[in-house]
Amino acid sequence: MSNEIRVFCPATVANISCGFDVLGLALETVGDGMVVRKTTHPGIRITKVVGQELPLEAEKNVAGVAGLALLENLGYQEGFEIEIHKKIKPGSGIGSSAASAAGAVWAINYLLDTPLNRTELVNLAMQGEKLASNVAHADNVAPAIFGGFTLVRSYHPLDIVSIPAPKALYATVIHPQIEIKTADSRKILKTNITLAQGIQQWGNLGGLVAGLYTHDYELIGRSLEDHIVEPIRSILIPEFKTVKEEVKKAGALGSGISGSGPSIFALSKGEKTAQRVAQTMKDIYETTGLDFDIHVSPIGTEGVKLI
Ligand code: HSE
């Protein structure tokens, strides 16, 4: 077994409209790179971060904290060095911290001959999310580790369910270059919902899961609704309403806020439609004067993987 590996850590879309804190998906073509190597020096050393300004102290770095949680869990006496090649910008809403946390625990577990299962890895990676956003949510780290669509059926105990997705399903994501910290965009949310809102939300969540299982694209589209979080958070995202309306006209099944924003995601059947949706998003954002990135990607079936 080699003492050093290089992994791809996928970007993820959390919530997917109707599944706040429980639903997420991994992207196939967008993500960070990470090199992890064994050392005899105890603990975690972040040796390099390329592409973003992030702390090198392990206790202040998402990958470091998640890695340390794993070493403590196993009572492992030696250590690891981590080199992070950051492509996903922090505060983008496509799981930047989750990619780092998931990549670290997955790679260390691999180098130790996989003593832990994927749910245990999610649990440890959640420590990284806690550092980043004050809340140990799993809806980004679960798809980052499992790949595909995942449902957090329960947090206590942690129960992650993989949901199969039709192969023709594509995600288009636009990332306006403004930063919205997850911690801040959680503070503005209400902590109570009405029974009527609950009924609408769990109806949509069930509909989306059923649509994914049965490849019913119309049902997937109809279920991409969120009347609880989206109305509050979308105020922070320029042109959100216009994008939502226009991507539908361009053929998207539906769209919503990616994670805590500011990124907006849309799901489409087929790459051609997803590219048309990307062009629509681009046309709208070009009128704002804001810089933005756009990604078109199939759903990533694997999660963190060796490269
Ligand atoms: N479920 C989390 C939130 C995801 O919306 O706050 C953050 O990416």
Side-chain angles (χ1 to χ4, degrees):
M1 162 84 65
S2 144
N3 279 338
E4 175 179 308
I5 54 170
R6 187 176 288 266
V7 294
F8 169 78
C9 319
T12 46
V13 173
N15 300 335
I16 321 180
S17 299
C18 53
F20 180 72
D21 271 4
V22 296
L23 210 56
L25 65 84
L27 298 176
E28 168 99 14
T29 56
V30 191
D32 294 342
M34 189 178 270
V35 180
V36 181
R37 70 184 72 88
K38 261 187 186 171
T39 68
T40 48
H41 187 85
I44 301 285
R45 266 189 352 126
I46 311 290
T47 54
K48 202 191 268 188
V49 180
V50 183
Q52 289 295 321
E53 296 271 319
L54 292 171
L56 289 174
E57 300 99 302
E59 291 78 10
K60 293 188 185 157
N61 181 292
V62 170
V65 166
L68 286 168
L70 188 152
L71 298 191
E72 196 189 322
N73 180 278
L74 293 177
Y76 188 72
Q77 296 303 318
E78 296 188 335
F80 290 85
E81 288 179 354
I82 301 179
E83 200 179 298
I84 306 168
H85 296 259
K86 210 73 203 140
K87 300 254 171 62
I88 316 168
K89 296 190 180 91
S92 58
I94 49 170
S96 179
S97 51
S100 294
V105 295
W106 189 95
I108 294 172
N109 191 51
Y110 182 91
L111 287 167
L112 294 177
D113 228 1
T114 57
L116 300 173
N117 67 32
R118 293 188 294 183
T119 302
E120 288 166 329
L121 292 182
V122 171
N123 213 350
L124 294 164
M126 285 164 68
Q127 293 308 313
E129 289 292 58
K130 194 165 178 199
L131 176 75
S133 67
N134 300 329
V135 180
H137 61 92
D139 50 339
N140 289 105
V141 282
I145 287 172
F146 280 71
F149 278 77
T150 54
L151 171 74
V152 185
R153 200 227 25 106
S154 151
Y155 272 90
H156 307 289
L158 190 64
D159 185 2
I160 311 289
V161 183
S162 269
I163 300 162
K167 279 204 176 57
L169 201 59
Y170 272 73
T172 309
V173 181
I174 181 163
H175 171 211
Q177 306 286 296
I178 47 174
E179 188 182 351
I180 298 183
K181 290 201 168 70
T182 299
D184 295 335
S185 71
R186 292 183 79 93
K187 275 190 210 137
I188 60 173
L189 299 179
K190 297 193 179 113
T191 50
N192 290 309
I193 60 166
T194 64
L195 186 57
Q197 285 174 307
I199 290 167
Q200 209 170 24
Q201 202 84 347
W202 55 67
N204 279 317
L205 182 56
L208 180 52
V209 172
L212 291 169
Y213 266 97
T214 58
H215 298 194
D216 184 338
Y217 292 94
E218 295 305 314
L219 178 57
I220 292 170
R222 287 203 300 286
S223 306
L224 290 174
E225 272 193 351
D226 169 16
H227 299 286
I228 298 173
V229 173
E230 188 176 289
I232 300 170
R233 283 182 170 171
S234 59
I235 293 160
L236 305 172
I237 305 172
E239 300 297 337
F240 179 78
K241 201 164 164 271
T242 314
V243 169
K244 225 176 139 68
E245 283 163 9
E246 294 301 318
V247 297
K248 204 80 202 257
K249 289 184 203 157
L253 302 167
S255 63
I257 303 172
S258 176
S260 54
S263 289
I264 306 171
F265 79 94
L267 293 181
S268 301
K269 182 181 179 186
E271 187 178 3
K272 219 169 130 201
T273 309
Q275 292 290 1
R276 198 163 56 234
V277 166
Q279 187 59 48
T280 303
M281 290 176 168
K282 189 165 175 259
D283 292 344
I284 296 166
Y285 260 80
E286 267 169 358
T287 66
T288 65
L290 278 174
D291 286 335
F292 57 87
D293 291 329
I294 293 196
H295 312 286
V296 174
S297 173
I299 310 306
T301 48
E302 271 190 276
V304 182
K305 60 185 173 192
L306 292 176
I307 43 174

